[in-house]
Amino acid sequence: MENQEEVIRVRIPKKDQNEILGVIEQMLGASRVRVRCVDGKVRMGRIPGKLKRKIWIKEGDVVIVSPWEVQSDKKCDIIWRYTKNQVSWLEKKGYLKDLL
């Protein structure tokens, strides 16, 4: 039991639902953040109320974003924030090679 790795469940972005990975670059206030996404674009992200009440989001956090239907290259909603253990798992599996 000493050498066994802890099982970590990690939510992966769903391509069919237009979800992508991003890193919080800057907090803008009023539940708005600047997010650098895997596709190379920097978007204005909105933290929805149901997420804002549950978790704290700060600069440098890895998140899943969902670009808006309109202005998809400029605006997005944040739908998930990863913990430190989940981020290290994502790095190990190669999901963050374009981001960090």
Side-chain angles (χ1 to χ4, degrees):
M1 279 206 144
E2 310 162 5
N3 259 349
Q4 282 185 335
E5 277 190 40
E6 189 178 324
V7 176
I8 301 174
R9 293 200 51 170
V10 178
R11 186 185 188 287
I12 304 294
K14 299 176 181 130
K15 299 281 186 216
D16 59 332
Q17 293 179 7
N18 203 19
E19 297 176 355
I20 54 178
L21 285 168
V23 173
I24 304 294
E25 275 192 344
Q26 185 180 10
M27 303 299 290
L28 301 172
S31 301
R32 301 276 194 270
V33 293
R34 185 169 295 130
V35 184
R36 185 169 26 92
C37 300
V38 170
D39 61 2
K41 296 179 178 156
V42 176
R43 293 180 170 91
M44 164 107 62
R46 182 179 66 157
I47 306 170
K50 67 177 184 176
L51 203 63
K52 184 171 49 172
R53 292 192 246 324
K54 288 183 185 174
I55 61 169
W56 287 84
I57 294 179
K58 59 190 181 310
E59 291 179 17
D61 281 349
V62 178
V63 294
I64 297 178
V65 298
S66 174
W68 288 8
E69 300 280 324
V70 183
Q71 292 185 318
S72 65
D73 57 340
K74 291 190 170 88
K75 299 193 177 180
C76 64
D77 282 334
I78 293 172
I79 54 177
W80 188 265
R81 178 186 61 99
Y82 288 107
T83 62
K84 287 182 179 172
N85 289 340
Q86 292 171 331
V87 169
S88 64
W89 184 88
L90 286 169
E91 284 176 346
K92 217 183 311 180
K93 297 295 180 185
Y95 285 100
L96 302 177
K97 62 182 176 291
D98 302 333
L99 213 52
L100 299 176

